[in-house]
Amino acid sequence: MHFTEDKPSGNYIINEYSKNTVTINRQCYEKSLYLSANTFIESIPLRQCSDITLESIKFIIGLKPELVILGSGISFQFPPAPIIAHFASNKIGFEAMDHSAACRTYAVLSAEQRDVGMLLLID
């Protein structure tokens, strides 16, 4: 049987994560960030779902990813309903999950070369 290794596409790869950090391209981050195959924005000024506003996600809408994964922290939280509706009205898929699940899901979808972005909230 022939095996092939899945490799994430793009310039930014998650190497590891813990409950309040993520390591991308072997650099550890302890603040909220946005990540996609070719976009990396560090030190996003959001710490929890209740901090998310339409203005604070404007840059994500402008990037037009196919799907956005929200890593909501140690425990699963939903952002305010207008945020979810705003992604839907812009034809962008949206999923919220805890930090660990978000990192794992992002890694799988990125290996499939999907146009996925991840907003990871680190408090």
Side-chain angles (χ1 to χ4, degrees), residues 13-18 21-27 99 103:
I13 298 168
I14 296 174
N15 305 111
E16 62 183 287
Y17 56 86
S18 68
T21 66
V22 64
T23 302
I24 299 166
N25 294 353
R26 309 223 184 281
Q27 174 74 36
H99 181 96
C103 289

Side-chain angles (χ1 to χ4, degrees), residues 35-57:
L35 176 68
S36 70
N38 297 304
T39 303
F40 179 64
I41 303 170
E42 60 181 296
S43 297
I44 302 283
L46 303 169
R47 295 177 60 199
Q48 49 194 314
C49 284
S50 60
D51 295 338
I52 301 173
T53 64
L54 293 176
E55 185 63 30
S56 69
I57 61 164

Side-chain angles (χ1 to χ4, degrees), residues 60-62 64-68 84 86-94:
I60 298 173
I61 301 298
K64 300 181 193 280
E66 174 187 339
L67 170 68
V68 172
I84 299 168
H86 193 61
F87 280 108
S89 70
N90 282 280
K91 297 181 175 38
I92 297 172
F94 179 84

